[in-house]
Amino acid sequence: MKVEIHNVFKNMRYKFFQTEDGIYYIVEIKPSFWKTLFPFLYWFFPFPVYKVEDEKTIEGIQTPESWSFDKSSAVLATGGVAVFIATIFRGKIEMFKTELPLYIKIIFLIVMIFCVFLIRLFVNKVKFHDLYKHVNLKQLERFEIKVKPQSFKHIGQMFASYIFFLFFSVMSYIMFFLDGNVFVLIGGAAMLIMFSLVVNITVKEGLTKIEFIK
């Protein structure tokens, strides 16, 4: 069947939809190491969904009509911040270069990746508690569904985002090992965080084909 997927307000980990018989379900994008590393796996494995019988719950988690998000302005703002940071550190990046033994670089890399892992765990926990303020999923009836990508454009967006953030995070770590630039290491960690967020667009807002698993 095809349903209209909606975003939970300011919470990319959860979505919701309504079936033809008027029943609402909350979709949970459960964190998983392998599915975060290979987000395309989400299209081959089931998602847990939770049946919501109280429409007030849905009213509490849906995006308010008065709230709008201008994507073009966000892109411009992000670009402006990037230019600002690049201007500040222009000609000063060399200051972050250090002569470090190989084993120290490896330790730095492991620590940075571990920090990224902790940040993702923290974000997941925060988003879970944000939803918990409105509904306790453990008290709802649980089902499983399979979700298909919306279109070839959706697949292309996923693939492009995946390759982009993976490439720049890996290249940043390689450059760190070559010249010991700590600034590049931090940049690689930022790219890795963005890479870990790609899983959240495996299920995106819009008309989507789903299948309940019996």
Side-chain angles (χ1 to χ4, degrees):
M1 75 173 70
K2 285 191 175 182
V3 298
E4 189 74 22
I5 299 290
H6 300 278
N7 292 327
V8 170
F9 186 50
K10 294 183 179 181
N11 196 332
M12 294 181 67
R13 183 179 169 182
Y14 299 94
K15 317 284 180 180
F16 71 91
F17 63 87
Q18 184 181 23
T19 55
E20 294 177 352
D21 52 5
I23 299 176
Y24 286 97
Y25 293 87
I26 293 176
V27 185
E28 181 180 19
I29 303 176
K30 298 197 72 173
S32 163
F33 173 77
W34 289 111
K35 290 180 183 178
T36 299
L37 193 59
F38 304 104
F40 304 100
L41 292 175
Y42 274 99
W43 290 328
F44 298 95
F45 292 90
F47 288 86
V49 297
Y50 302 87
K51 183 178 179 181
V52 180
E53 297 181 347
D54 185 6
E55 290 191 17
K56 290 184 178 180
T57 298
I58 298 299
E59 292 174 2
I61 65 175
Q62 65 185 356
T63 303
E65 293 182 3
S66 59
W67 189 85
S68 62
F69 179 71
D70 190 341
K71 293 182 179 179
S72 59
S73 297
V75 171
L76 291 174
T78 303
V81 171
V83 171
F84 178 71
I85 293 175
T87 302
I88 291 177
F89 289 102
R90 183 182 300 168
K92 298 180 181 180
I93 294 180
E94 296 293 324
M95 297 171 55
F96 292 89
K97 286 186 178 182
T98 55
E99 294 295 332
L100 298 172
L102 179 60
Y103 76 92
I104 294 296
K105 290 181 180 179
I106 294 174
I107 292 174
F108 271 30
L109 177 61
I110 293 173
V111 170
M112 191 60 69
I113 293 176
F114 183 68
C115 288
V116 171
F117 176 72
L118 290 180
I119 290 172
R120 274 306 274 135
L121 284 180
F122 175 74
V123 171
N124 282 329
K125 188 174 182 180
V126 167
K127 295 306 177 183
F128 172 78
H129 285 293
D130 284 347
L131 187 75
Y132 188 84
K133 295 175 183 177
H134 300 280
V135 58
N136 183 359
L137 296 183
K138 295 180 180 179
Q139 296 178 349
L140 303 180
E141 189 175 0
R142 186 179 186 273
F143 298 88
E144 289 189 339
I145 62 169
K146 281 190 175 181
V147 178
K148 301 295 183 182
Q150 292 180 358
S151 62
F152 285 110
K153 181 181 178 181
H154 184 192
I155 296 173
Q157 289 174 338
M158 277 283 298
F159 184 77
S161 301
Y162 179 84
I163 294 299
F164 179 85
F165 292 116
L166 179 62
F167 174 79
F168 280 102
S169 60
V170 170
M171 287 302 298
S172 296
Y173 295 137
I174 291 174
M175 290 174 63
F176 170 69
F177 274 98
L178 291 177
D179 61 15
N181 195 312
V182 179
F183 184 80
V184 173
L185 178 64
I186 296 172
M191 289 294 103
L192 193 59
I193 291 174
M194 297 303 298
F195 171 78
S196 71
L197 294 175
V198 173
V199 299
N200 292 318
I201 60 175
T202 52
V203 181
K204 58 181 293 188
E205 194 171 30
L207 196 62
T208 304
K209 186 176 181 180
I210 68 167
E211 176 187 356
F212 278 90
I213 300 174
K214 296 182 180 179

